[in-house]
Amino acid sequence: MKTKVLFAALLLFVSSMAIASPQSSWVKDKPKKVDTSKAIHFIELGTFKSSVPVKLVELMREIGDVSPIRTESGSVYYTTPFLSEKEAAKQLPKFVSLGFDQARHVVQYKNDLFSLREFNYMVEGGKIKDDSEIPVIRIWK
């Protein structure tokens, strides 16, 4: 029964979320007015081409409400939506410290998925803005 409920929830989530490439045409086009109240904030825990390490699977079970989405590059795992951008930003360091090194804050807007920086770029009409109230984690490799 639990598997059926999880599968139904996953189907609902997949049908409501369209995964976009990081270089979405929305960002490249002429800037449009963005209604930030319609933005949905998630934490993308990571993308895995094959199997997910057992440690991370156990952590996802502890977190609960983690949804996998199949893409061309593998499976991408997302948390449930957060109430606000600030709430998602507060939780991101927690997920990174748990071992999700790839974790990043993403925003769903009009059936496209954007990084937080790309979304803020659209909101600002094509200008890069880093908000000091919302921490941004940058990983240099």
Side-chain angles (χ1 to χ4, degrees), residues 39-57:
I40 304 170
H41 297 270
F42 298 92
I43 300 296
E44 180 182 300
L45 297 173
T47 302
F48 300 93
K49 292 182 181 184
S50 57
S51 62
V52 181
V54 174
K55 177 185 173 191
L56 295 182
V57 171

Side-chain angles (χ1 to χ4, degrees), residues 20-36 38-41 106-129:
S21 67
Q23 299 301 323
S24 175
S25 60
W26 224 95
V27 175
K28 293 178 185 176
D29 291 344
K30 185 177 178 181
K32 302 171 186 172
K33 185 162 175 87
V34 177
D35 183 359
T36 57
K38 294 183 180 177
I40 304 170
H41 297 270
V106 293
V107 181
Q108 180 186 357
Y109 183 73
K110 290 191 175 182
N111 295 326
D112 286 325
L113 200 65
F114 302 96
S115 71
L116 180 60
R117 189 173 182 93
E118 289 171 330
F119 182 72
N120 285 334
Y121 181 82
M122 290 186 325
V123 170
E124 295 298 318
K127 299 180 186 93
I128 298 294
K129 177 188 170 207

Side-chain angles (χ1 to χ4, degrees), residues 68-81:
I69 304 294
R70 283 259 194 226
T71 66
E72 295 168 359
S73 58
S75 295
V76 185
Y77 291 83
Y78 296 95
T79 62
T80 56

